[in-house]
Amino acid sequence: MFETKTKAEKFRMLIKIVFPILVTQVAMYLVTFFDIYMTARYSTEDLAGVSIGSSFWVPVYIGLAGILMSITPIVAQLMGAKKKEEVKDAVQQGIYLAVILALIVFIFFFFSIEPLLSLINLEPAVASVAKNYIFAMSFGLVPLFVYNALRCYIDALGSTRISMFISLLSAPINVFFNYLLIYGNFGFPELGGVGAGYGSAITYWLVMLIAVWIIHTRKPFKSFNIFRGWAKLSFIRLSEISLIGVPIGIAIFAETSIFSAVTLMMSTYGTITIAAHQIAINFTSLLYMLPLSISMGATILVGFEVGAKRFNDARQYSWISVAAAVGFSFVSAFILFSMRHQIAGLYTSDPAVIQLAVQFLIFAALFQLSDAVQAPVQGALRGYKDVNITFVMALISYWVIGLPVGYLLSTFTGFEAFGYWIGLIAGLTAGAITLSFRLNVIQKKIAAH
C-alpha cells in the first residue's frame, strides 16, 4: 500500500485491494456453498438438516471469528504509523485468542446442541443430520479460527493476493472430500449431509497449514518472524484486541444470526419451506461476498490512512467504497430477479421447493441496496476503530426492528413465511441508514480537530 493523491488513484487502489479479498471470500464461502449445494443433490431431508445445523454454526463461528477482525485495523494502523516492530506481538496474541475462541465454541456446541435442537419441531431424520453435521464441523474449529487470525494479518499488510491464493485452494479441496464423504465414493462411507461437515473440517486444517507455511517462508511475512520467539500470553494485549474485536463480533453476530433465527423460526412451516429458504439465503450470501469484500478493503485502507493521520484520504476511501458497492448492488439485484428460476433449479429438482425458492429470491433482490450501503460503512468505521456504537446500532436494526417486524407480519398477516423476508429488508435498511449517519458524525468530529 502507498499514499494516493487523487480519487481515481484511490479507486484503483481499492480495486487492487478488494479484488483478491473478493476471490478469497468467495472461495472460503464456497466451502459452505458446496456443503449446501452437494447435500441438496443428495436429499431434501439432508439439506434441511445441514440448513438447521448451519443456522447454529454460522452465527456463532462468524460472530466470534469477527473478534479476530480487529487484527486488521490494529496491524494496518501500526504499519501506517511505521511501527513494524509491534506487529509480531499483536499477531501472536491474536493466534492465542483464536485458539481460546475455538475451544469456547467447541465446548458450547458439545454441551448445548442437543438441548437447542430439542426446542425446534424437527423431523427426527433432520434433527439427526443437524446435530452430527455440527459435531463434524467442530473438528475444524481450531484451524478455522487460527487461519482467520493469520488472514487478517496478511490482508493488513496489503498482501490480499496471498489470501486469495490460499483460499482458492479451499474450494476444490472441499468439493473433493464432500464427493467422497457425502456420496460414499471410492470406498468411503456414505454419510450424506454429515459427510459435508467432515469434508469442511479437513479443508480447514489443510488451508491453515498452507497459510502457516507461506507466512513462515515467504516475503514480506518472513521478516516479521511471526512463529519465532513466542511472547507469553498477555491479557493486556488480548484486552486491546478484544476491546476492538468484541463489538465487531457482536455486530457481525447480530447481522448473521438474524438470518439463522429466521431459518429456525421457519421450521414451523415444514421441510420444504426450510429447504427453499436455505436455497435463497445460500445464493444471496454468495452475492454478499462482494459488498463484504469492499467492506474489508475499506477497513484496511481507512485504517492505513488514519494511522498516517491523512484523515481526508480516509474519508474519501470511505465513500468511494460505498459508491462502488452500491453500483454493484444493482447487478446483484438484476441477477436475482431475472435468473431466479435458473438459480433455484441449480440446487434441486423438487418442483415444490423450486416454486417457493423463486419467490424468496424476489425478496432477496430487494435488500441488495441496503446490504451494499451498510457493509462498506461498517468496514470504514472499523478502520477508524469506531466499533462500540456500531454494534449497538446493529443490534437495534436487526433484532429490535428486523426480526419483530418479520414475526408480526408472518404471524398476523397473510404473508406467512414471506413476512420474515420483509422483516430482513426492514432491518438491513435501518442498519444502512443509521450506520451511514454514524460514519458522517465520526468524520466531521475528526475534521473539526
Side-chain angles (χ1 to χ4, degrees):
M1 291 187 294
F2 52 84
E3 182 181 358
T4 53
K5 302 293 186 183
T6 67
K7 290 182 180 179
E9 286 181 348
K10 285 179 171 61
F11 183 75
R12 286 194 293 271
M13 177 63 79
L14 178 68
I15 297 301
K16 179 182 177 182
I17 293 292
V18 166
F19 179 74
I21 293 177
L22 173 61
V23 176
T24 300
Q25 286 300 120
V26 171
M28 290 299 291
Y29 179 72
L30 284 177
V31 173
T32 303
F33 178 88
F34 281 116
D35 280 358
I36 298 293
Y37 177 79
M38 297 177 78
T39 304
R41 310 301 292 188
Y42 184 79
S43 80
T44 299
E45 288 75 18
D46 278 71
L47 171 60
V50 171
S51 299
I52 294 296
S54 296
S55 296
F56 285 106
W57 169 271
V58 171
V60 172
Y61 147 62
I62 290 184
L64 289 178
I67 297 172
L68 301 171
M69 289 177 68
S70 60
I71 295 170
T72 299
I74 288 171
V75 173
Q77 289 198 16
L78 288 172
M79 294 300 292
K82 302 188 185 305
K83 296 180 179 178
K84 180 180 176 180
E85 69 281 356
E86 296 183 27
V87 169
K88 174 182 174 180
D89 185 57
V91 176
Q92 288 183 346
Q93 298 300 324
I95 293 172
Y96 288 142
L97 182 59
V99 175
I100 293 169
L101 292 173
L103 294 175
I104 289 171
V105 177
F106 184 85
I107 293 169
F108 170 77
F109 280 135
F110 186 82
F111 287 103
S112 68
I113 192 59
E114 284 198 57
L116 287 172
L117 287 173
S118 68
L119 298 175
I120 309 170
N121 183 27
L122 295 174
E123 297 173 13
V126 173
S128 176
V129 171
K131 180 186 75 173
N132 291 312
Y133 171 77
I134 289 174
F135 282 147
M137 291 282 282
S138 295
F139 288 106
L141 276 167
V142 169
L144 179 58
F145 275 74
V146 171
Y147 173 70
N148 270 276
L150 296 177
R151 185 193 154 191
C152 288
Y153 157 62
I154 293 170
D155 288 349
L157 298 185
S159 301
T160 51
R161 291 186 179 184
I162 301 298
S163 297
M164 177 183 74
F165 166 75
I166 297 170
S167 298
L168 276 174
L169 297 175
S170 64
I173 292 172
N174 180 243
V175 169
F176 173 70
F177 283 106
N178 278 0
Y179 181 73
L180 297 180
L181 296 170
I182 294 175
Y183 306 109
N185 290 304
F186 298 109
F188 281 80
E190 182 179 341
L191 301 176
V194 179
Y198 285 113
S200 296
I202 295 169
T203 301
Y204 295 142
W205 277 103
L206 293 175
V207 166
M208 183 202 71
L209 292 174
I210 293 167
V212 168
W213 178 76
I214 288 175
I215 290 171
H216 189 60
T217 60
R218 293 289 183 265
K219 296 179 180 179
F221 319 107
K222 184 179 179 181
S223 63
F224 289 87
N225 295 314
I226 297 299
F227 302 118
R228 293 176 180 167
W230 284 84
K232 292 182 179 179
L233 185 68
S234 169
F235 289 101
I236 295 175
R237 294 308 298 268
L238 290 183
S239 298
E240 179 191 353
I241 296 171
S242 299
L243 282 173
I244 301 171
V246 168
I248 294 175
I250 293 174
I252 294 173
F253 176 82
E255 182 179 354
T256 55
S257 61
I258 190 174
F259 288 91
S260 297
V262 167
T263 300
L264 296 174
M265 294 175 85
M266 280 193 176
S267 62
T268 58
Y269 294 100
T271 300
I272 290 175
T273 301
I274 295 173
H277 166 79
Q278 188 59 44
I279 286 170
I281 287 292
N282 187 244
F283 192 82
T284 305
S285 298
L286 182 61
L287 293 178
Y288 179 65
M289 293 304 104
L290 181 54
L292 179 61
S293 300
I294 294 175
S295 171
M296 297 173 75
T299 300
I300 295 167
L301 293 167
V302 171
F304 182 74
E305 298 296 346
V306 169
K309 301 191 183 303
R310 294 188 292 264
F311 299 117
N312 186 55
D313 295 272
R315 182 183 61 80
Q316 289 183 357
Y317 271 126
S318 301
W319 297 111
I320 288 172
S321 300
V322 173
V326 168
F328 286 120
S329 73
F330 291 104
V331 178
S332 298
F334 176 78
I335 291 171
L336 286 166
F337 186 78
S338 64
M339 301 180 66
R340 57 192 186 278
H341 290 91
Q342 293 90 329
I343 292 167
L346 283 173
Y347 289 83
T348 182
S349 57
D350 188 327
V353 176
I354 290 176
Q355 182 181 1
L356 201 53
V358 164
Q359 296 175 72
F360 285 136
L361 286 167
I362 295 174
F363 288 96
L366 296 176
F367 65 62
Q368 294 304 299
L369 180 60
S370 299
D371 255 351
V373 174
Q374 62 88 20
V377 168
Q378 280 199 60
L381 286 167
R382 289 168 193 152
Y384 286 105
K385 291 186 179 177
D386 182 74
V387 292
N388 292 312
I389 299 297
T390 302
F391 94 80
V392 173
M393 289 177 170
L395 283 173
I396 293 172
S397 298
Y398 305 132
W399 286 90
V400 178
I401 298 174
L403 194 60
V405 168
Y407 175 77
L408 291 172
L409 289 174
S410 65
T411 306
F412 300 106
T413 73
F415 286 111
E416 295 187 328
F418 302 113
Y420 285 112
W421 280 75
I422 298 172
L424 290 175
I425 295 170
L428 289 168
T429 302
I433 294 170
T434 55
L435 290 168
S436 297
F437 177 77
R438 176 63 181 174
L439 179 59
N440 193 47
V441 167
I442 290 296
Q443 292 174 341
K444 285 184 176 179
K445 186 182 295 184
I446 290 174
H449 288 81

